[in-house]
Amino acid sequence: MERFVDLIQDKKNGKELSDETIREMIASFTKGEIPDYQMSAMLMAICFTGLNDRELTTMTLAMRDSGKVNDLSAIRGIKVDKHSTGGVGDKTTLIIGPIAASCGIPIAKMSGRGLGFTGGTIDKLESIPGFHTDLSTADFYDAVKEIGICVNGQTEDLAPADKKIYALRDATATVESIPLIASSVMSKKLASGSDCIVLDVTTGNGAFMKDYDQALALAKKMVTIGHHAGKKTIAILTSMEEPLGYAIGNNLEVKEAIQALHGQGPEDLMTVCYTLAAHMISLGKDISFEEAKAEAMESVRSGKAFETFTAMVQKQGGDVSYILHPESFPVSPIQADITASRSGYVAHIDTEGVGIAAGILGAGRSKKEDDIDPCAGIILHKKLGQYVQQGESLATLYTSKETLLSPGIHHLERCFEISETPSKIPALIGDCITI
């Protein structure tokens, strides 16, 4: 590889980097042979001048290959993975994984913890007493073979280049670069080893990509990478202009997921879950979306999806009595409601603000090392377009620490706007990108 400073200059001037150069760059940086300050400069150059599809795919594959790549060949069937770009109240993995698995799609899912205003699937599952997300690779694979699904914690040896690059992006204001986001997400998904990938790209005020056109551009980049890597990949844009469902917070969301697996979840949550699950089943069985959606709905109606979730919890050490009797989950001792200051229609919800308020109450973390309160969070009582009377409850807050209640209330009160006339509710399901 030529002098790295010359490569930075080339990229800054908009020149293409060769495949060999990109692979050497990622390998050398992962080994610590390229200093952080030079890689930061390269990331800023990429942020300004971008990467074409060839460069982006090569960089993503190099990041994938910087660590362990899961070999799922011992698991029979077409393995399908799912990834969401995040949001507030997004408990879809807990629902669509069991739905797809109960329909014969092997789900070997590696998930992460929450950071900032978005919750993490692992945190939600670990709010089930006894549930383990640190299974060995052998136990992880065995669980998928036996139950059809396992959701495990993401290991440190999965795409280590991405972890190093993300740390620099976070410190150098290059987090929002679409090529860098796409390579970060897809390097981990490709290293996870599934045959097909379904991407839930959220957009709106509670999503990382708040602008629809930006979210669409990201979706197209990730699908392109997937196809160039030989994986059938599809992306669906979903609205995060309000929290998904009514529950925000770890065991609160598990309880809502259990309701959904009984077919009794909120309408918006059920719509998103049936859409995503149908795409997973469609890819895994090579059937039409309509056929796959019918299978997904039948798996819930018949109880198969809930049985699969229960079996997964038991296999991963969780206490199944909480799944069979969700009222057994511990409830925060300190609760309070925020109420409407006037009568009218809910015209706007600051979704990110709701997520931040839940974090203030103890449901989230600002640093990776922070502990979280599995009982803390928020239950919404009103959503976009619904009418509320003055003094009626908009939401209930839950926390275990009295000192956190007042700041949580103060933050949440500013998240709702009420108007005299109903406003248009954004479409929940947007574009579907296949190539």
Side-chain angles (χ1 to χ4, degrees), residues 35 50 56 98 102 108 123-124 145 149 195 264-265 271 301 313 325 353 362 375:
L56 181 56
S102 70
D123 297 319
K124 294 165 192 178
K145 291 175 186 176
I149 180 173
D195 303 302
Q264 299 165 359
T271 297
R301 189 204 63 76
V313 171
H325 304 284
C375 307

PDB file of all heavy atoms in Angstrom, residues 35 50 56 98 102 108 123-124 145 149 195 264-265 271 301 313 325 353 362 375:
ATOM      1  N   PRO A  35      -2.576   4.901  12.319  1.00  0.00           N
ATOM      2  CA  PRO A  35      -2.980   5.639  13.523  1.00  0.00           C
ATOM      3  C   PRO A  35      -4.391   6.214  13.390  1.00  0.00           C
ATOM      4  O   PRO A  35      -4.884   6.463  12.281  1.00  0.00           O
ATOM      5  CB  PRO A  35      -1.930   6.750  13.632  1.00  0.00           C
ATOM      6  CG  PRO A  35      -1.373   6.902  12.257  1.00  0.00           C
ATOM      7  CD  PRO A  35      -1.444   5.548  11.619  1.00  0.00           C
ATOM      8  N   GLY A  50     -17.771  10.512  -0.592  1.00  0.00           N
ATOM      9  CA  GLY A  50     -18.537   9.291  -0.763  1.00  0.00           C
ATOM     10  C   GLY A  50     -17.712   8.113  -1.266  1.00  0.00           C
ATOM     11  O   GLY A  50     -16.497   8.190  -1.465  1.00  0.00           O
ATOM     12  N   LEU A  56     -17.714   0.681  -1.761  1.00  0.00           N
ATOM     13  CA  LEU A  56     -18.511   0.446  -0.558  1.00  0.00           C
ATOM     14  C   LEU A  56     -18.629  -1.045  -0.243  1.00  0.00           C
ATOM     15  O   LEU A  56     -18.477  -1.467   0.908  1.00  0.00           O
ATOM     16  CB  LEU A  56     -19.898   1.059  -0.731  1.00  0.00           C
ATOM     17  CG  LEU A  56     -20.867   0.935   0.441  1.00  0.00           C
ATOM     18  CD1 LEU A  56     -20.270   1.527   1.708  1.00  0.00           C
ATOM     19  CD2 LEU A  56     -22.193   1.627   0.116  1.00  0.00           C
ATOM     20  N   PRO A  98     -39.962 -15.260  16.471  1.00  0.00           N
ATOM     21  CA  PRO A  98     -40.783 -16.449  16.722  1.00  0.00           C
ATOM     22  C   PRO A  98     -41.813 -16.727  15.630  1.00  0.00           C
ATOM     23  O   PRO A  98     -42.080 -17.896  15.325  1.00  0.00           O
ATOM     24  CB  PRO A  98     -41.468 -16.121  18.051  1.00  0.00           C
ATOM     25  CG  PRO A  98     -40.528 -15.193  18.737  1.00  0.00           C
ATOM     26  CD  PRO A  98     -39.955 -14.354  17.633  1.00  0.00           C
ATOM     27  N   SER A 102     -41.542 -20.195  13.659  1.00  0.00           N
ATOM     28  CA  SER A 102     -42.660 -21.138  13.741  1.00  0.00           C
ATOM     29  C   SER A 102     -43.170 -21.524  12.363  1.00  0.00           C
ATOM     30  O   SER A 102     -43.873 -22.524  12.215  1.00  0.00           O
ATOM     31  CB  SER A 102     -43.793 -20.545  14.579  1.00  0.00           C
ATOM     32  OG  SER A 102     -44.427 -19.477  13.914  1.00  0.00           O
ATOM     33  N   ALA A 108     -31.025 -17.327  13.350  1.00  0.00           N
ATOM     34  CA  ALA A 108     -29.823 -17.282  14.179  1.00  0.00           C
ATOM     35  C   ALA A 108     -29.454 -15.815  14.345  1.00  0.00           C
ATOM     36  O   ALA A 108     -28.683 -15.260  13.569  1.00  0.00           O
ATOM     37  CB  ALA A 108     -28.690 -18.066  13.526  1.00  0.00           C
ATOM     38  N   ASP A 123     -31.176  -6.163  25.924  1.00  0.00           N
ATOM     39  CA  ASP A 123     -31.649  -5.624  27.201  1.00  0.00           C
ATOM     40  C   ASP A 123     -33.084  -6.060  27.478  1.00  0.00           C
ATOM     41  O   ASP A 123     -33.439  -6.390  28.619  1.00  0.00           O
ATOM     42  CB  ASP A 123     -31.578  -4.095  27.195  1.00  0.00           C
ATOM     43  CG  ASP A 123     -30.166  -3.575  27.048  1.00  0.00           C
ATOM     44  OD1 ASP A 123     -29.257  -4.148  27.677  1.00  0.00           O
ATOM     45  OD2 ASP A 123     -29.962  -2.600  26.303  1.00  0.00           O
ATOM     46  N   LYS A 124     -33.901  -6.064  26.456  1.00  0.00           N
ATOM     47  CA  LYS A 124     -35.309  -6.454  26.637  1.00  0.00           C
ATOM     48  C   LYS A 124     -35.412  -7.918  27.031  1.00  0.00           C
ATOM     49  O   LYS A 124     -36.129  -8.270  27.977  1.00  0.00           O
ATOM     50  CB  LYS A 124     -36.089  -6.156  25.352  1.00  0.00           C
ATOM     51  CG  LYS A 124     -36.179  -4.665  25.068  1.00  0.00           C
ATOM     52  CD  LYS A 124     -36.627  -4.333  23.650  1.00  0.00           C
ATOM     53  CE  LYS A 124     -36.402  -2.845  23.389  1.00  0.00           C
ATOM     54  NZ  LYS A 124     -36.760  -2.421  22.040  1.00  0.00           N
ATOM     55  N   LYS A 145     -31.028 -25.132  15.857  1.00  0.00           N
ATOM     56  CA  LYS A 145     -31.399 -26.441  15.295  1.00  0.00           C
ATOM     57  C   LYS A 145     -32.608 -27.032  16.015  1.00  0.00           C
ATOM     58  O   LYS A 145     -33.498 -27.609  15.392  1.00  0.00           O
ATOM     59  CB  LYS A 145     -30.218 -27.415  15.414  1.00  0.00           C
ATOM     60  CG  LYS A 145     -29.037 -27.086  14.519  1.00  0.00           C
ATOM     61  CD  LYS A 145     -27.878 -28.051  14.815  1.00  0.00           C
ATOM     62  CE  LYS A 145     -26.621 -27.678  14.069  1.00  0.00           C
ATOM     63  NZ  LYS A 145     -25.478 -28.551  14.416  1.00  0.00           N
ATOM     64  N   ILE A 149     -34.939 -20.947  16.561  1.00  0.00           N
ATOM     65  CA  ILE A 149     -34.544 -19.551  16.784  1.00  0.00           C
ATOM     66  C   ILE A 149     -33.678 -19.451  18.031  1.00  0.00           C
ATOM     67  O   ILE A 149     -33.876 -20.182  19.010  1.00  0.00           O
ATOM     68  CB  ILE A 149     -35.789 -18.635  16.942  1.00  0.00           C
ATOM     69  CG1 ILE A 149     -35.372 -17.167  17.186  1.00  0.00           C
ATOM     70  CG2 ILE A 149     -36.711 -19.135  18.049  1.00  0.00           C
ATOM     71  CD1 ILE A 149     -36.535 -16.193  17.181  1.00  0.00           C
ATOM     72  N   ASP A 195     -28.411 -16.437   5.201  1.00  0.00           N
ATOM     73  CA  ASP A 195     -28.488 -16.463   3.737  1.00  0.00           C
ATOM     74  C   ASP A 195     -29.209 -15.248   3.167  1.00  0.00           C
ATOM     75  O   ASP A 195     -28.919 -14.809   2.059  1.00  0.00           O
ATOM     76  CB  ASP A 195     -29.231 -17.729   3.282  1.00  0.00           C
ATOM     77  CG  ASP A 195     -28.571 -18.988   3.809  1.00  0.00           C
ATOM     78  OD1 ASP A 195     -27.380 -19.185   3.512  1.00  0.00           O
ATOM     79  OD2 ASP A 195     -29.235 -19.759   4.518  1.00  0.00           O
ATOM     80  N   GLN A 264     -52.920  -9.788  20.105  1.00  0.00           N
ATOM     81  CA  GLN A 264     -53.630  -8.712  20.789  1.00  0.00           C
ATOM     82  C   GLN A 264     -52.780  -7.456  20.942  1.00  0.00           C
ATOM     83  O   GLN A 264     -53.050  -6.614  21.796  1.00  0.00           O
ATOM     84  CB  GLN A 264     -54.080  -9.210  22.172  1.00  0.00           C
ATOM     85  CG  GLN A 264     -55.026 -10.399  22.089  1.00  0.00           C
ATOM     86  CD  GLN A 264     -55.179 -11.119  23.419  1.00  0.00           C
ATOM     87  OE1 GLN A 264     -54.560 -10.750  24.420  1.00  0.00           O
ATOM     88  NE2 GLN A 264     -55.993 -12.168  23.432  1.00  0.00           N
ATOM     89  N   GLY A 265     -51.745  -7.325  20.115  1.00  0.00           N
ATOM     90  CA  GLY A 265     -50.890  -6.158  20.198  1.00  0.00           C
ATOM     91  C   GLY A 265     -51.517  -4.941  19.550  1.00  0.00           C
ATOM     92  O   GLY A 265     -52.507  -5.050  18.817  1.00  0.00           O
ATOM     93  N   THR A 271     -49.053  -4.410  12.464  1.00  0.00           N
ATOM     94  CA  THR A 271     -48.879  -4.139  11.033  1.00  0.00           C
ATOM     95  C   THR A 271     -47.414  -4.249  10.632  1.00  0.00           C
ATOM     96  O   THR A 271     -47.068  -4.913   9.646  1.00  0.00           O
ATOM     97  CB  THR A 271     -49.412  -2.734  10.680  1.00  0.00           C
ATOM     98  OG1 THR A 271     -50.820  -2.688  10.944  1.00  0.00           O
ATOM     99  CG2 THR A 271     -49.167  -2.404   9.210  1.00  0.00           C
ATOM    100  N   ARG A 301     -52.399 -16.785  15.117  1.00  0.00           N
ATOM    101  CA  ARG A 301     -53.768 -17.221  15.437  1.00  0.00           C
ATOM    102  C   ARG A 301     -53.772 -18.616  16.086  1.00  0.00           C
ATOM    103  O   ARG A 301     -54.497 -18.877  17.045  1.00  0.00           O
ATOM    104  CB  ARG A 301     -54.620 -17.241  14.173  1.00  0.00           C
ATOM    105  CG  ARG A 301     -56.121 -17.464  14.436  1.00  0.00           C
ATOM    106  CD  ARG A 301     -56.828 -18.049  13.244  1.00  0.00           C
ATOM    107  NE  ARG A 301     -56.323 -19.377  12.898  1.00  0.00           N
ATOM    108  CZ  ARG A 301     -56.630 -20.479  13.577  1.00  0.00           C
ATOM    109  NH1 ARG A 301     -57.426 -20.429  14.648  1.00  0.00           N
ATOM    110  NH2 ARG A 301     -56.135 -21.653  13.206  1.00  0.00           N
ATOM    111  N   VAL A 313     -37.335 -18.919  25.131  1.00  0.00           N
ATOM    112  CA  VAL A 313     -37.049 -18.413  26.479  1.00  0.00           C
ATOM    113  C   VAL A 313     -36.558 -19.549  27.377  1.00  0.00           C
ATOM    114  O   VAL A 313     -35.556 -19.409  28.092  1.00  0.00           O
ATOM    115  CB  VAL A 313     -38.304 -17.743  27.081  1.00  0.00           C
ATOM    116  CG1 VAL A 313     -38.075 -17.413  28.560  1.00  0.00           C
ATOM    117  CG2 VAL A 313     -38.652 -16.474  26.315  1.00  0.00           C
ATOM    118  N   HIS A 325     -47.427 -15.964  32.460  1.00  0.00           N
ATOM    119  CA  HIS A 325     -48.176 -15.067  33.354  1.00  0.00           C
ATOM    120  C   HIS A 325     -47.449 -13.716  33.413  1.00  0.00           C
ATOM    121  O   HIS A 325     -46.763 -13.410  34.400  1.00  0.00           O
ATOM    122  CB  HIS A 325     -48.290 -15.670  34.755  1.00  0.00           C
ATOM    123  CG  HIS A 325     -48.919 -17.035  34.764  1.00  0.00           C
ATOM    124  ND1 HIS A 325     -50.277 -17.230  34.611  1.00  0.00           N
ATOM    125  CD2 HIS A 325     -48.361 -18.270  34.889  1.00  0.00           C
ATOM    126  CE1 HIS A 325     -50.539 -18.524  34.652  1.00  0.00           C
ATOM    127  NE2 HIS A 325     -49.397 -19.188  34.802  1.00  0.00           N
ATOM    128  N   GLY A 353     -37.710  12.328  21.934  1.00  0.00           N
ATOM    129  CA  GLY A 353     -37.857  12.864  23.283  1.00  0.00           C
ATOM    130  C   GLY A 353     -38.483  11.866  24.236  1.00  0.00           C
ATOM    131  O   GLY A 353     -38.094  11.777  25.414  1.00  0.00           O
ATOM    132  N   GLY A 362     -34.495   5.498  33.741  1.00  0.00           N
ATOM    133  CA  GLY A 362     -33.659   4.338  34.045  1.00  0.00           C
ATOM    134  C   GLY A 362     -33.728   3.220  33.034  1.00  0.00           C
ATOM    135  O   GLY A 362     -33.087   2.188  33.198  1.00  0.00           O
ATOM    136  N   CYS A 375     -37.441  -2.480  34.821  1.00  0.00           N
ATOM    137  CA  CYS A 375     -38.857  -2.146  35.032  1.00  0.00           C
ATOM    138  C   CYS A 375     -39.200  -0.726  34.596  1.00  0.00           C
ATOM    139  O   CYS A 375     -40.385  -0.387  34.464  1.00  0.00           O
ATOM    140  CB  CYS A 375     -39.220  -2.291  36.512  1.00  0.00           C
ATOM    141  SG  CYS A 375     -38.803  -3.884  37.231  1.00  0.00           S
TER     142      CYS A 375
END
